[in-house]
Amino acid sequence: MKEGPDIAQIGALIGDPARANMLAALTGGRALTATELAAAGGITLQTASTHLSKLETGGLLAQRKQGRHRYFTLADEAVARLIESMMGLAASRGHLRHQPGPKDPALRKARICYDHLAGDYGVRMLDSLVASGSIDAIGDGLAVTPRGESELQCIGIDVGSLKSSRRPLCRSCLDWSERRAHLAGSLGKALLANFMEKGWARRVPESRSVVFSPEGERQFLKLFPLES
Amino acid sequence: MKEGPDIAQIGALIGDPARANMLAALTGGRALTATELAAAGGITLQTASTHLSKLETGGLLAQRKQGRHRYFTLADEAVARLIESMMGLAASRGHLRHQPGPKDPALRKARICYDHLAGDYGVRMLDSLVASGSIDAIGDGLAVTPRGESELQCIGIDVGSLKSSRRPLCRSCLDWSERRAHLAGSLGKALLANFMEKGWARRVPESRSVVFSPEGERQFLKLFPLES
DNA sequence: TTCATACTTCGATCGTAACCGAAGCATTCT
DNA sequence: AGAATGCTTCGGTTACGATCGAAGTATGAA
């Protein structure tokens, strides 16, 4: 009624269940077509189409035409972070889409969050990097140490080249299943990409789950030991 | 449609304009009565009442009865942070409640954000604290240095006692008008309280503005110089 | 006790937006 | 060219929820 930005528009966009489900699906990070998103939202293609155009004009989605497909992604990392933090709040207030319980253990273990690793394994990875002195943590802030830079080089990640991108190198992202932070930012993305390149992990189609191969799991756990 | 927390409920709660305005008003940090919030939302008391009970059962608000008044506050600092970050996103997408323009210069200069100082002065304060080595900043994370601890002691703030509270000492909070970080957390709160105690600053009733006395402004600017 | 204030609940109205069927474009494949 | 796929637009229905008037409850003041 007074001054300031209009929260209500964004809230209303996220407030519709169909749209919320589509946004949640896009938190998986990969670009999805209108048809796929319609399925994710549990609605017909026509309805999805109007929802998607609303989300786009609202600035939450970006689209890119490719042949006869139209691929949608979250507009921004800022949007992804908003969605995740709303998930965190929703989880802490007990708003669940289904009955709570021992749901989906695979998803709690390792999943995609936008473009990086989340879940138990994501949290463990960050904890281990901090414990080994590769990453400095102050509050919510994260920074790679010189030592970390050389350690990551050994794994096959060139931190120097990541720094040049405009996107922040490290970010902490609050995990809704673990209620603890995991590693986002371009480094988080690079690490996950690295694991998938090596064949340690792969995404499960149509899901946010990430599964590790037996060998990959062994390597991952060795590389990121738990602080005792 | 699948697993995970339900964003839509929270989104829908924030998505109604009347409710959004009430929440924004509560970002001012002080507890407000149902009648005051009805005015803030531009609706009658009956309507406000139903909205408020929805917000409360949704976990966004806390209330406390006091005599025949019922005071509402944001449930949590997490809620306050969510609102502020939605304001940031809304501002960056150009969703404004009124026509944009050179609006409300007082509000851009200094205002309350939940319980700490925001706006130009809030950003300046944090910048200065970081530049002088009183606060370490890594990414979004902030930490008071030993040196900062003694400097703050001189101003009249005992960092040690603040540390014992469960709430984080320092937090960065993104400013929607400046698009830069200012200082939140218990230290941010303590600093603002300190200024008001000394008579440097006071709140404008019915608004989020904070105004400085001529003397207070002089002292503040001297205490927190701009890095050249 | 009586009155006033602060707020909630009830009941009814009204508007908006979510929804889908059907038809219309656009792109690619054959 | 014709057919198939992917998506958008149109039209009409439906349902939900925001709204307020009026009545009800609780607390405090006179």
Side-chain angles (χ1 to χ4, degrees), chain B residues 14-80:
Chain B
I14 304 178
D16 179 78
R19 284 194 294 255
N21 284 327
M22 294 194 280
L23 288 168
L26 286 170
T27 305
R30 61 169 52 136
L32 297 176
T33 65
T35 311
E36 291 170 316
L37 287 168
I43 49 181
T44 63
L45 183 58
Q46 311 90 291
T47 309
S49 180
T50 66
H51 281 313
L52 288 170
S53 75
K54 282 178 191 175
L55 285 170
E56 198 201 349
T57 61
L60 297 189
L61 291 188
Q63 62 159 312
R64 153 171 67 93
K65 285 184 77 167
Q66 206 165 94
R68 57 181 156 179
H69 294 273
R70 183 156 281 183
Y71 285 97
F72 291 87
T73 54
L74 297 183
D76 211 313
E77 197 181 350
V79 175

Side-chain angles (χ1 to χ4, degrees), chain A residues 118-133:
Chain A
D120 181 33
Y121 273 34
V123 169
R124 174 185 177 132
M125 181 172 76
L126 177 57
D127 283 349
S128 179
L129 285 167
V130 170
S132 72

Side-chain angles (χ1 to χ4, degrees), chain A residues 145-168:
Chain A
T145 61
R147 175 184 171 158
E149 201 153 333
S150 68
E151 300 248 4
L152 289 164
Q153 196 76 56
C154 298
I155 306 179
I157 289 178
D158 182 26
V159 174
S161 67
L162 291 177
K163 276 182 186 163
S164 59
S165 103
R166 191 158 5 128
R167 181 172 172 198

Side-chain angles (χ1 to χ4, degrees), chain A residues 70-146:
Chain A
R70 182 156 282 184
Y71 285 97
F72 291 87
T73 54
L74 299 183
D76 212 313
E77 199 182 349
V79 175
R81 291 223 306 283
L82 180 67
I83 305 286
E84 273 282 324
S85 71
M86 287 184 74
M87 281 190 178
L89 201 67
S92 77
R93 307 297 137 112
H95 301 313
L96 295 179
R97 280 187 278 188
H98 279 344
Q99 67 288 2
K103 293 290 292 181
D104 242 311
L107 212 65
R108 297 188 110 79
K109 179 177 171 190
R111 67 172 182 280
I112 284 267
C113 168
Y114 195 45
D115 59 7
H116 51 269
L117 187 63
D120 181 33
Y121 273 34
V123 169
R124 174 185 177 132
M125 181 172 76
L126 177 57
D127 283 349
S128 179
L129 285 167
V130 170
S132 72
S134 294
I135 288 185
D136 261 358
I138 291 187
D140 283 342
L142 302 174
V144 179
T145 61

Side-chain angles (χ1 to χ4, degrees), chain A residues 159-202:
Chain A
V159 174
S161 67
L162 291 177
K163 276 182 186 163
S164 59
S165 103
R166 191 158 5 128
R167 181 172 172 198
L169 183 63
C170 295
R171 260 202 190 283
S172 77
C173 183
L174 192 62
D175 207 290
W176 60 257
S177 62
E178 298 292 317
R179 308 290 306 274
R180 299 181 50 204
H182 60 248
L183 180 64
S186 60
L187 179 57
K189 174 181 179 173
L191 277 163
L192 178 59
N194 183 271
F195 302 153
M196 300 208 289
E197 235 165 63
K198 290 178 179 161
W200 289 7
R202 61 180 176 76

Side-chain angles (χ1 to χ4, degrees), chain B residues 145-182:
Chain B
T145 62
R147 174 185 171 157
E149 201 152 334
S150 68
E151 299 248 5
L152 289 165
Q153 195 75 56
C154 297
I155 306 178
I157 290 178
D158 181 27
V159 176
S161 69
L162 291 177
K163 276 180 183 164
S164 59
S165 103
R166 190 155 10 124
R167 183 174 171 196
L169 182 64
C170 294
R171 260 204 190 281
S172 78
C173 183
L174 192 62
D175 206 291
W176 59 258
S177 61
E178 298 291 318
R179 307 289 308 275
R180 298 181 50 205
H182 60 248

